[in-house]
Amino acid sequence: MERGRMYDEMGEIKKGPWKSEEDEVLMKHVKKYGPRDWSSIRSKGLLQRTGKSCRLRWVNKLRPNLKNGVKFSSEEERVVIELQGQFGNKWARIATYLPGRTDNDVKNFWSSRQKRLARVLQTPPQAPPPPPPPPKSHKSLRESPSLHKVPTFEAPKQSSSTEESSVTSPKTLSCSSPYCEPINMVPLPELIAPTTATPTTAATSLLIYDDIQPLCQYPCNVPPQPVLLPPFPHAPPLKVELPSPPPPPPLENHDIFTQLADPNFFAVFGQGGSSEMVPYPYIPPGGEGESGGSCGRQESGDPMMMAPDTFIDDFPMDMFDHIEPLPSPSEW
DNA sequence: AACCTAATCAACCGCTATGTC
DNA sequence: AGACATAGCGGTTGATTAGGT
């Protein structure tokens, strides 16, 4: 089935899904002239596609070494989340750190994830009906101060592979999960993941690692894979200098995305290794025990074991305030 | 098996940045 | 310097697929 109109009003520009023959023509062109002169493809009568369309097709589907049809790995997810926290919706930039991924891939991934989040975070029964979302432009979202509060994230300069990079560590974290290997990175907490009680809760759909959650749940706090951004020759040196980051505000008023993207997030709760890390949202000592390597949250009375709705209700609602169309707490 | 819903994918559009004349 | 063309980016949307009931 063709998407939308096949041709524009003049019947000259073809639109919609690409056929394999068209791909072949495009590939030939690129092979001959390189990935440029997209407009000449049409002017030469090779294809009835716009240069724009040709370029997009090449970038998103025909380029070599693309991970087409491959789901985002947990590490890729983590990278996206971290970089999104730092750069905002700069998908193309983020994609430069993900081999084989396009900006469209990253964008779609993020969008899908946001949808999931938004759906689960629908107005709880007791909550007052939120006012209509302000006419916040996407630009303003991108420039949201919260995004810029994220502390510096620096891409590693070493050229070694991820595996190599994660071997030696002065501070290792571990858990029994096959995904939780010792790492030497400051762990990026999973988004909302600490709140996960079981894979069956509604919150599970929030998880960024849906596929592995049953294997690794909080309070192990250890990310499934270390985030070591692959050094890409085409990626610019990644160091964003920000004006002295403010001290972490109280949890309940702190933007969760900012917080979770903060590599020093756990430092708020004390120096030291994973054993001292406190899951987010903060669970007072005693209510939450050590995982003992089980990576599971088993305690009864654990707030995370509550029914999904109750569980969500227990969040400070402003922790999700970055998510459109939910209004910011200040507007409540 | 049929239907419904959510997730994912692919492609378009509008806008901006950059290069060229 | 300004106009124009092209490339690139981000947002959006429609189609398809997968999963659940």
Side-chain angles (χ1 to χ4, degrees), chain A residues 17 65 100 104-105 109 147 165 179 189 234 236-237 268 272 295 307 309 314:
Chain A
N65 303 322
N104 216 26
D105 289 335
F109 165 72
L147 295 177
S165 303
Y179 293 96
H234 54 290
V268 170
C295 278
D309 287 344
D314 282 348

Side-chain angles (χ1 to χ4, degrees), chain A residues 74-325:
Chain A
S74 56
E75 184 173 346
E76 285 174 317
E77 292 186 15
R78 189 166 288 276
V79 170
V80 170
I81 290 160
E82 179 135 351
L83 292 179
Q84 203 280 341
Q86 179 168 358
F87 299 144
N89 296 359
K90 298 296 180 185
W91 308 123
R93 189 171 183 182
I94 293 171
T96 62
Y97 290 85
L98 296 164
R101 299 297 186 186
T102 70
D103 58 343
N104 216 26
D105 289 335
V106 178
K107 191 164 56 178
N108 282 336
F109 165 72
W110 186 261
S111 169
S112 176
R113 194 168 159 283
Q114 291 297 88
K115 276 185 192 171
R116 246 185 315 170
L117 267 169
R119 192 168 45 79
V120 175
L121 296 176
Q122 278 172 351
T123 310
Q126 300 95 325
K136 209 188 319 179
S137 71
H138 294 294
K139 272 201 167 69
S140 66
L141 171 65
R142 270 193 306 230
E143 321 237 317
S144 166
S146 67
L147 295 177
H148 297 279
K149 285 189 290 183
V150 178
T152 298
F153 181 86
E154 188 170 9
K157 304 215 168 32
Q158 69 268 34
S159 58
S160 55
S161 72
T162 299
E163 291 76 21
E164 293 166 342
S165 303
S166 59
V167 171
T168 57
S169 167
K171 181 174 15 176
T172 58
L173 309 170
S174 63
C175 100
S176 63
S177 162
Y179 293 96
C180 295
E181 298 170 333
I183 61 172
N184 63 344
M185 299 285 290
V186 176
L188 174 70
E190 292 177 16
L191 180 62
I192 318 296
T195 63
T196 305
T198 76
T200 57
T201 64
T204 302
S205 59
L206 288 169
L207 299 176
I208 57 175
Y209 306 122
D210 285 348
D211 51 334
I212 62 170
Q213 271 308 305
L215 291 171
C216 179
Q217 296 177 16
Y218 274 75
C220 83
N221 291 325
V222 180
Q225 296 288 330
V227 180
L228 287 175
L229 304 183
F232 268 47
H234 54 290
L238 183 59
K239 173 143 184 157
V240 179
E241 292 296 343
L242 298 165
S244 52
L251 273 177
E252 57 184 357
N253 290 327
H254 194 40
D255 181 288
I256 186 173
F257 277 70
T258 300
Q259 205 161 359
L260 294 181
D262 183 353
N264 300 316
F265 170 59
F266 283 141
V268 170
F269 304 101
Q271 313 296 320
S274 60
S275 63
E276 298 180 29
M277 294 195 298
V278 180
Y280 186 96
Y282 174 69
I283 298 169
E288 183 59 47
E290 297 292 325
S291 67
S294 69
C295 278
R297 187 180 290 273
Q298 304 298 334
E299 258 84 306
S300 62
D302 183 335
M304 299 307 118
M305 295 298 286
M306 296 175 183
D309 287 344
T310 309
F311 156 74
I312 293 292
D313 290 349
D314 282 348
F315 286 140
M317 286 311 293
D318 54 357
M319 68 187 285
F320 305 119
D321 61 4
H322 83 289
I323 302 169
E324 289 189 1

Side-chain angles (χ1 to χ4, degrees), chain A residues 26-42:
Chain A
L26 185 54
M27 293 282 276
K28 277 183 185 173
H29 173 89
V30 171
K31 198 170 181 179
K32 196 169 179 181
Y33 303 102
R36 63 180 79 88
D37 295 333
W38 301 112
S39 297
S40 70
I41 296 174
R42 191 164 79 92

Side-chain angles (χ1 to χ4, degrees), chain A residues 23 55-64 66 68-69 102:
Chain A
D23 284 343
R55 178 194 154 269
L56 203 63
R57 180 65 179 176
W58 167 259
V59 167
N60 287 339
K61 296 302 295 181
L62 302 179
R63 221 171 19 149
L66 287 179
N68 281 328
T102 70

